[in-house]
Amino acid sequence: VVEEISAGRGVINFKVNRKFLAQRKILHDDKFGLNSELFLSLKRGTTLVEYSSPNIAKKFHAGHLRSTVIGNFIANLKQSLGNNVIRMNYLGDWGMQFGLLGAGFGQFGCLEKLKQNPLQHLFEVYVQVNKEAEHSEDIKQAAREFFRQLEQHESQAVSLWKQFREITVREYQRVYQRLGIHFDVYSGESFHQDQAQEVLQQLQSRGLLKTSEKGTGVVDLSLDGDMSNVCTVLRSDGTTLYITRDIAAAINRKEMYNFDEMIYVTDKSQENHFSQLFQILLSMGHSWAQRCRHVSFGLVQGMKTRTGEVVFLEDVLDEARARMLHNMSQSTTKTMDNPEDTAEKVGISALIIQDFRGPLQSDYKFDWDQMLQAQGDTGVFLQYTHARLSTFDPSLLHEQTSVSILQHLLRYDEVLYQSAQDLQPKHLINFLLKLCHLIASAHRELPVKGSPQDVAQARLRLFSGARSVLANGMRILGIAPVAKM
């Protein structure tokens, strides 16, 4: 790559071998940048990623949307670097909220409405029963009784719960399909209710389970063993908690999948939960807990649709498509085969890029107008550049710009390596956006027509390589590239 090195006063100059760069056949490889020696130091194996994880019958809020797209990016990145990836959706399908929902459905539920619009109806019932429970001890008691029946596997309660779960998963799968996201496993807290009892027995036998003054079962995590930092794993009425089932789930996953690493993707409010989870697993003798990792993220502020507050992910996707369709109709006279499909893909790209621009742990303000701009560092700009490369006249670039683009493309492996270290999508996004700017500059500043055939072919190969890298990078981010806009 370097053909000449010279020293000046306080500087060292490297001269790039332009001919060598132009002849790099690696540009035609769909795996460009993925076979780098940089990745030899990365450990490959089985990676289990738990993400999205919405609660059945509760609203699919912005945090679950963030978990969905961030987890998908991590799974795509790990897979592209040669790992065997297991994508898991761990549903919130157990716990006292199902006592409320079961009790509420008996009073406010309608099987016909459940068939017509299951997520909406379950959410309405859940909101209504919560409101009633605020001033009704009878409702609270009915909820406790329904959850007790679930824990005791009583057939009527279990049958209703199964119905709630199955129709909810079916609805979510349809929505995930729009995002281009799939899961290998749909798991949930309910899978581990019996195993949670085994966890309690193991904690007991190791002398780790203590009884608090309130009668709850706790694990002492304080350094001095003075109960100043405890984690509750058992309620005073004998029912298990979320963390009890999480301990059971982690042990079960290790036995089933023998993962080399497990990554949980949830918001930063759960950092303490996962810190306690990993500590308890280690204290139980599970050294593999050191290879478990929590990727946390900040909150989204101001995510609203035209009809008001966001309730379900589908509301956001519908709004993104509608707004993008409107913007496209205002800015182009071209006819498209399927404008709705293009608007959907570009709208989702815009959504993802806005979410990924900064450090994941930062909160950010959701802004529809800024998100959908065609100019600026947006998902729309990424898609526009890819579409333009897909129909590009190869004679629009001169030598220096070619070298700038090639030099930038050769950083692709470094960017993927950096992303693999901290699991932050911002490195890849900044790389792709700079690539778009380099290409946009070439379009704008260097329109050269009538170049010789061999020059035109070389430039076509360059643009083909740039398009390939752009498309691969977008797919890792979870974005489906479009060819026409």
Side-chain angles (χ1 to χ4, degrees), residues 345-356:
K345 286 177 179 170
V346 178
I348 288 170
S349 306
L351 197 67
I352 291 172
I353 295 301
Q354 178 173 250
D355 197 285
F356 285 177

Side-chain angles (χ1 to χ4, degrees), residues 366-386:
F366 191 89
D367 187 325
W368 282 110
D369 294 331
Q370 190 176 19
M371 179 183 101
L372 294 169
Q373 284 179 1
Q375 284 80 38
D377 290 345
T378 65
V380 182
F381 178 47
L382 266 188
Q383 289 283 22
Y384 173 75
T385 304
H386 181 270

